[in-house]
Amino acid sequence: MTTMTEPTTHTLDVPGATVTYDVRPGGAPGEPALMMIGSPMGAGGFGTLASHFADRTVITYDPRGVERSAKTDPATESTPDQHADDLHRIIAALDAGPVDLFASSGGAVNALALVAAHPEDVRTLVAHEPPLASILPDRDAAMAFTQAIADTYRQRGFGPAMAQFILAVSHRGPMTPEFAAEPAPDPAMFGLPTEDDGTRTDPLLFQNIVTCTHYAPDVQALRSASTRIVLAAGVESEGQMASRGGHALAELLGTTPVAFPSDHGGFLGGEYGQAGDPDAFAAKLREVLIDA
């Protein structure tokens, strides 16, 4: 049995931020490192999944504006292209490319931007449930809903906006203009704060939600990239926007999404109070990577 090496932590100054990343050494010489990313989820979300890959060097990080990665101005939005540039710089600083890359949620959107710009950085990308409202058949309503969440945050603060976000991510099937226009539910229904603390820098509800979901991937660049791109979707999140984003992009790329165990957070093993099916999820990820 291979024991996971304790991570070493590093920082890297990038335009507008200082990003923090962790490296868990392992694996045979010459074997690609395995990078695991989310957004706005940071490195703390990948502890359980990383433990299943003690035979690989594993790289995790906190995206700009998240946890240990401070932005020069947190009252600004972050874009997938900025995140992609940060990832490119980390890979270059480690001289680690091409890496295998598991990317989930907003991290998958950022990884697609990375591959479009720097395909040489990534051997295999497993893009798990990118919430690409921009390419859905119901794109206008889906994009309006995510914009409405950002607007609610600016106008009323964290609680109401987070309640609206929960409503959006749990919705199954196409969104309608009427659904997108519904007012935010009572945050108390979800155990969320009802008072506005005045903060307007939340990484999810302000910095990334619109730029991520409205991002239009460069399909032509992705099709021509040397990177093997695998779209992944949870079997339990069928019909939800992030899963639908993965299916829609796979169709544009002429591929078929790979079904992964559990749901949007299927790789979590208690991180952030959430648990999916990380053992089965890791086994599926390993299977997909071996098929490279």
Side-chain angles (χ1 to χ4, degrees):
M1 180 177 178
T2 305
T3 302
M4 174 129 269
T5 305
E6 286 298 313
T8 58
T9 299
H10 311 264
T11 59
L12 182 66
D13 290 333
V14 299
T18 298
V19 295
T20 299
Y21 61 95
D22 303 309
V23 181
R24 296 169 171 85
E31 184 178 27
L34 174 57
M35 198 169 194
M36 300 177 177
I37 67 170
S39 182
M41 179 179 286
F46 295 98
T48 300
L49 185 60
S51 72
H52 287 270
F53 291 90
D55 59 326
R56 302 282 296 267
T57 291
V58 175
I59 305 165
T60 55
Y61 93 125
D62 294 337
R64 60 170 57 215
V66 174
E67 298 181 20
R68 302 168 298 168
S69 292
K71 289 174 64 173
T72 304
D73 183 1
T76 57
E77 291 182 315
S78 299
T79 69
D81 289 331
Q82 286 178 317
H83 289 299
D85 185 63
D86 294 345
L87 292 165
H88 172 64
R89 290 170 185 267
I90 292 172
I91 293 168
L94 291 170
D95 193 22
V99 301
D100 285 342
L101 178 54
F102 170 73
S104 186
S105 193
V109 176
N110 301 337
L112 292 164
L114 170 65
V115 168
H118 301 284
E120 72 282 358
D121 282 353
V122 184
R123 183 182 72 160
T124 296
L125 166 61
V126 180
H128 179 247
E129 301 203 349
L132 291 167
S134 63
I135 61 172
L136 297 178
D138 49 316
R139 64 185 303 272
D140 290 343
M143 293 169 69
F145 201 117
T146 56
Q147 181 64 59
I149 295 168
D151 293 344
T152 297
Y153 179 67
R154 291 187 180 94
Q155 296 161 11
R156 299 174 56 195
F158 176 82
M162 194 64 189
Q164 199 169 17
F165 174 79
I166 292 171
L167 190 66
V169 298
S170 60
H171 178 79
R172 295 182 188 270
M175 293 187 180
T176 63
E178 293 75 21
F179 179 74
E182 286 184 9
D186 181 357
M189 294 170 53
F190 303 97
L192 294 166
T194 56
E195 294 186 3
D196 183 359
D197 66 2
T199 302
R200 294 297 185 271
T201 58
D202 188 85
L204 169 63
L205 302 172
F206 168 68
Q207 292 184 28
N208 291 286
I209 190 164
V210 171
T211 57
C212 173
T213 57
H214 291 205
Y215 179 74
D218 187 337
V219 174
Q220 186 56 47
L222 295 174
R223 280 180 169 174
S224 61
S226 56
T227 304
R228 172 179 174 245
I229 301 173
V230 178
L231 276 300
V235 294
E236 295 176 17
S237 47
E238 184 178 355
Q240 294 175 348
M241 189 178 77
S243 173
R244 295 177 63 225
H247 280 267
L249 182 57
E251 184 175 351
L252 290 173
L253 296 179
T255 64
T256 301
V258 175
F260 267 64
S262 193
D263 54 17
H264 193 63
F267 55 90
L268 294 169
E271 293 89 348
Y272 305 110
Q274 301 178 55
D277 189 356
D279 293 349
F281 195 101
K284 187 64 178 181
L285 177 57
R286 184 177 291 277
E287 174 188 317
V288 170
L289 293 175
I290 288 173
D291 286 343

